[in-house]
């Protein structure tokens, strides 16, 4: 196997061809296949010359390519193969390899004899070390496939999480979830465009055709949405008003930048990259600072935010330092999608918990809001809401529901005679008695004062039997409370639901029936029959209610 030696030459600028002799600034050995030689280029504007030699001849027809990577910002390189015409090699990203989107693939001439010399001329200025290695076309293609699979897997995970967040948004209609779903989508598309594999995904190939415009637009949009998300998620308006202002200013700056790009297109490319990165460099410390401050001030979810973002910031900083040639961590760039997936997973988990808590609070509020504190039964509002939703579903008219309104007779006297606490106990026991007569799926609610209402699914004739059984369960057996034996009777008005009838109309008919029952006397059941006068069922048992 060949081993490649590269020497960086110190030359004058503006040489037309390879220098005949020049001092060697640096010498690296790519060694055996798969080993990478790093050449750190001196920081100056002009051209660099590299002298390349192999230690073993490349046989005719042998599949060996020289790969140059890492020199972002350099233009095309000129390759001077031994004993052949020089040729200009463009960056492989332009219609070539995706893996090497910042590199060049030079096919070495067949029959390059050992120790014969090739030259490379690299123009421009770069802060990054140039990486050289020998590889076969098969190895390069394999690397590309692995890279594409990795990038598409990361993209798929981000999109699935975005869909989940969108689902939570639809349930709660909170900008918090929508901004995160948007961020995940924009960040996922940006990462895929950056990896050069967007063409693999249906619908994204068009965006990839916009080149840098599409890519930068997605990056700027992702940062803007992340700012909205941070502002809501860390409760900045409440906990950190000044931080909230800073985040909002940065959001509008990103939006303005995005608008410039969308209207300016390629005309603004010259400065967009610089301004975009400068804005990003301002944004990252602000986000970190507000997260730490919000965490100190007790923002519920700030720890998740820090947990998710810290590894991503660390890997991003490493990747940037690698690009600047400050550290040798080529893996940092490859680890970026993984760190982004971890960040998204941590925050998606936090948001799911946020949504679940919110749901629990809403259910709890509903439960306590809709209940009468004394008896624990539904209150009047909850009952009306329930009937209203049945009405809207059409089930109130489709099936026959009986609504009973009950009023304890002379309850005021019980309060006066035994005290309000005993009155309360009577109300609690009254509920138990009513419930004992009903079926499990009948609904019972406490009405204001000393009243109850029952909704039961039964035909009218069965309903009045039920009403009578309820009245009898009071009249035939006194209540025993604190050693007192208290006779209590009820008056009941009832009506059956009619097709198309509104809830207030149904309740008004029941109330009217109750009034006629009370008008007749105590311990009476009165039924409202549509189109007829209220019918009285059963006889008044005045004596039962007054026999204390
Ligand atoms: N102990 C107790 N009393 C209550 C409560 N809510 C209302 N009351 C009392 O219930 C009584 C309701 O009286 P009314 O329904 O107007 O009349 P009544 O005394 O039952 O007489 P009739 O219904 O005409 O037979 C009032 O004395 C209220 O003070 C409560 O939560 N606990």
């Amino acid at each position: 196997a060949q081993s490649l030696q590269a020497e960086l030459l110190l030359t004058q600028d503006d040489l037309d061809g390879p220098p005949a002799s020049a001092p060697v600034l640096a010498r690296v050995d790519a060694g055996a296949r798969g080993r990478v030689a790093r050449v750190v280029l001196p920081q100056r504007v002009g051209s660099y010359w590299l002298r390349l030699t192999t230690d073993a001849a490349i046989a005719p027809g042998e599949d060996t390519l020289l790969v140059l990577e890492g020199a972002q910002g350099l233009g095309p390189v000129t390759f001077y193969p031994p004993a052949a015409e020089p040729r200009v090699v463009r960056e492989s990203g332009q219609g070539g390899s995706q893996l090497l989107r910042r590199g060049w693939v030079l096919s070495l001439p067949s029959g390059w004899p050992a120790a014969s010399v090739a030259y490379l001329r690299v123009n421009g200025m770069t802060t990054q070390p140039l990486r050289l290695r020998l590889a076969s076309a098969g190895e390069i293609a394999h690397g590309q496939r692995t890279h594409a699979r990795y990038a598409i897997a990361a993209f798929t995970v981000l999109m699935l999480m975005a869909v989940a967040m969108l689902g939570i948004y639809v349930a709660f209609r909170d900008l918090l979830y929508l901004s995160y779903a948007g961020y995940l989508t924009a960040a996922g598309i940006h990462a895929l465009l950056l990896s050069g594999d967007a063409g693999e995904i249906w619908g994204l190939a068009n965006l990839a055709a916009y080149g840098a415009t599409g890519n930068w637009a997605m990056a700027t949009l992702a940062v803007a949405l992340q700012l909205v998300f941070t502002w809501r998620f860390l409760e900045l308006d409440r906990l950190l008003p000044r931080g909230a202002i800073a985040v909002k200013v940065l959001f509008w700056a990103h939006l303005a930048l995005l608008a410039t790009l969308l209207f300016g297109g390629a005309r603004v490319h010259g400065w967009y990259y610089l301004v975009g990165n400068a804005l990003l460099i301002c944004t990252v410390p602000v986000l970190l600072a507000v997260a730490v401050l919000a965490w100190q001030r007790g923002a519920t979810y700030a720890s998740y935010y820090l947990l998710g973002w810290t590894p991503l910031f660390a890997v991003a900083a490493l990747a940037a330092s690698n690009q600047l040639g400050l550290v040798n961590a080529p893996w940092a760039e490859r680890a970026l999608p993984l760190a982004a997936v971890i960040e998204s997973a941590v925050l998606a988990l936090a948001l799911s918990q946020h949504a679940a808590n919110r749901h629990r609070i809403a259910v709890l509020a509903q439960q306590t809001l809709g209940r009468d504190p004394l008896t624990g039964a539904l209150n009047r509002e909850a009952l009306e809401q329930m009937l209203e939703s049945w009405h809207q579903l059409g089930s109130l008219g489709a099936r026959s529901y009986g609504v009973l309104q009950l009023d304890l007779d002379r309850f005021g006297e019980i309060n006066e005679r035994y005290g309000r606490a005993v009155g309360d106990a009577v109300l609690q026991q009254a509920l138990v008695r009513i419930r004992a007569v009903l079926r499990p799926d009948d609904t019972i609610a406490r009405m204001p004062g000393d009243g109850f209402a029952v909704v039961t699914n039964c035909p009218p004739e069965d309903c009045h039997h039920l009403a009578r059984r309820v009245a009898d369960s009071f009249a035939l057996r006194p209540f025993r409370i604190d050693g007192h034996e208290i006779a209590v009777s009820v008056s009941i008005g009832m009506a059956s639901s009619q097709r198309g009838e509104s809830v207030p109309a149904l309740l008004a008919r029941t109330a009217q029936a109750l009034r006629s029952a009370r008008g007749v006397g105590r311990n009476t059941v009165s039924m409202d029959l549509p189109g007829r006068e209220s019918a009285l069922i059963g006889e008044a048992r005045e004596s039962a209610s007054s026999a204390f």
Side-chain angles (χ1 to χ4, degrees):
Q2 293 85 10
S3 126
L4 180 81
Q5 200 172 63
E7 291 162 309
L8 182 66
L9 305 177
L10 176 64
T11 58
Q12 310 243 304
D13 275 347
D14 310 329
L15 274 184
D16 287 338
S21 67
V24 175
L25 274 179
R27 182 177 285 125
V28 292
D29 197 346
R33 269 285 169 80
R35 242 184 71 188
V36 179
R38 293 170 82 242
V39 184
V40 179
L41 302 176
Q43 293 201 15
R44 64 182 175 88
V45 180
S47 54
Y48 305 95
W49 284 90
L50 285 167
R51 185 160 60 206
L52 307 170
T53 43
T54 59
D55 62 347
I58 296 177
E62 195 178 311
D63 169 24
T64 300
L65 301 165
L66 173 63
V67 179
L68 257 86
E69 285 174 284
Q72 191 175 28
L74 293 185
V77 299
T78 319
F79 184 41
Y80 296 79
E85 283 302 302
R87 57 175 204 273
V88 174
V89 185
R90 305 214 153 265
E91 258 191 276
S92 55
Q94 298 166 357
S97 147
Q98 291 157 346
L99 173 69
L100 308 167
R101 72 209 135 70
R102 278 186 228 131
W104 299 259
V105 178
L106 294 84
S107 56
L108 300 177
S110 299
W112 182 359
S116 64
V117 181
Y119 287 91
L120 262 182
R121 189 164 94 164
V122 181
N123 290 314
M125 188 180 132
T126 179
T127 45
Q128 258 191 295
L130 208 55
R131 298 194 297 273
L132 291 98
R133 64 189 165 94
L134 292 172
S136 71
E139 282 164 351
I140 292 176
H142 176 74
Q144 280 172 17
R145 276 197 304 276
T146 311
H147 183 271
R149 265 191 227 123
Y150 181 51
I152 289 168
F155 174 75
T156 310
V157 172
L158 291 183
M159 288 307 106
L160 286 176
M161 286 194 280
V163 170
M165 290 304 112
L166 204 62
I168 298 183
Y169 166 71
V170 170
F172 291 100
R173 302 277 161 176
D174 186 331
L175 191 61
L176 173 69
Y177 309 115
L178 187 64
S179 62
Y180 201 66
Y183 159 75
L184 286 173
T185 310
I189 293 176
H190 170 68
L192 199 65
L193 287 171
L194 206 63
S195 79
D197 297 308
E200 306 277 329
I201 301 279
W202 181 85
L204 285 188
N206 289 344
L207 193 58
Y210 283 100
T213 305
N215 200 349
W216 292 343
M218 280 300 147
T220 311
L221 186 63
V223 181
L225 289 168
Q226 177 63 228
L227 284 160
V228 177
F229 166 74
T230 306
W231 161 59
R232 302 282 294 213
F233 192 57
L234 299 178
E235 307 162 69
L236 295 184
D237 275 338
R238 184 170 69 82
L239 293 173
L240 215 66
R242 264 189 276 166
I245 292 170
V247 167
K248 283 179 199 168
V249 166
L250 283 169
F251 166 75
W252 286 111
H254 276 88
L255 227 51
L257 193 68
L258 184 63
T260 329
L261 180 67
L262 296 183
F263 291 112
R267 271 171 293 151
V268 301
H269 277 196
W271 55 265
Y272 193 89
Y273 186 75
L274 285 178
V275 176
N277 275 307
L279 207 53
L280 190 64
I281 288 170
C282 300
T283 303
V284 169
V286 170
L287 288 184
L288 271 179
V290 294
V292 171
L293 286 172
W295 176 64
Q296 284 174 344
R297 293 187 187 183
T300 324
Y301 292 93
S303 49
Y304 280 103
Y305 191 91
L306 288 169
L307 189 72
W309 278 102
T310 310
L312 185 54
F313 280 149
V315 174
L318 261 179
S321 313
N322 185 57
Q323 295 244 334
L324 295 174
L326 301 177
V327 296
N328 179 25
W331 54 266
E333 214 166 314
R334 287 199 300 277
L336 263 177
L338 185 66
V341 166
I342 291 173
E343 176 269 327
S344 314
V346 169
L347 288 184
L349 198 77
L351 281 178
S352 313
Q353 211 184 66
H354 185 275
N357 277 341
R358 191 185 188 135
H359 178 65
R360 241 196 318 272
I361 290 167
V363 167
L364 214 69
Q366 192 78 44
Q367 278 171 353
T368 43
L369 265 184
R371 300 233 163 233
D372 162 47
L374 178 68
T375 59
L378 291 185
N379 62 23
R380 183 201 187 106
E381 289 74 29
L383 180 86
E384 284 178 0
Q385 260 175 28
M386 190 193 80
L387 286 172
E388 203 57 68
S389 53
W390 286 0
H391 177 68
Q392 274 162 22
L393 288 171
S395 55
L396 204 56
R399 300 161 78 183
S400 181
Y401 280 97
V403 179
L404 276 58
Q405 279 201 51
L406 301 82
D407 200 79
L408 302 190
D409 299 327
R410 295 188 178 136
F411 182 67
E413 290 174 19
I414 299 177
N415 269 339
E416 273 171 35
R417 183 157 172 190
Y418 301 101
R420 218 175 152 82
V422 171
D424 283 353
V426 168
L427 286 169
Q428 287 164 332
Q429 286 196 16
L431 180 81
V432 176
R433 278 207 189 177
I434 299 167
R435 192 165 274 149
V437 178
L438 301 179
R439 282 170 306 203
D441 52 346
D442 292 338
T443 307
I444 176 163
R446 161 108 193 259
M447 304 302 263
D450 57 353
F452 291 92
V454 168
V455 181
T456 173
N457 175 18
C458 62
E461 57 278 16
D462 290 355
C463 277
H464 82 244
H465 286 308
L466 181 81
R468 192 60 257 169
R469 285 216 307 282
V470 172
D472 287 346
S473 77
F474 279 76
L476 300 180
R477 197 157 45 90
F479 285 61
R480 282 178 218 288
I481 295 160
D482 285 349
H484 306 292
E485 215 170 74
I486 307 166
V488 182
S489 67
V490 283
S491 300
I492 304 178
M494 64 158 292
S496 281
S497 61
Q498 305 293 308
R499 193 177 288 275
E501 186 183 28
S502 72
V503 174
L506 173 61
L507 290 176
R509 283 200 297 123
T510 326
Q512 178 54 45
L514 177 61
R515 271 195 297 278
S516 27
R518 285 160 56 117
V520 167
R522 307 292 185 261
N523 188 18
T524 305
V525 174
S526 166
M527 183 171 171
D528 180 89
L529 295 171
R532 276 194 262 158
E533 284 294 299
S534 290
L536 295 182
I537 297 155
E539 74 241 51
R541 290 191 191 147
E542 185 67 33
S543 53
S545 64
S546 53
F548 282 36

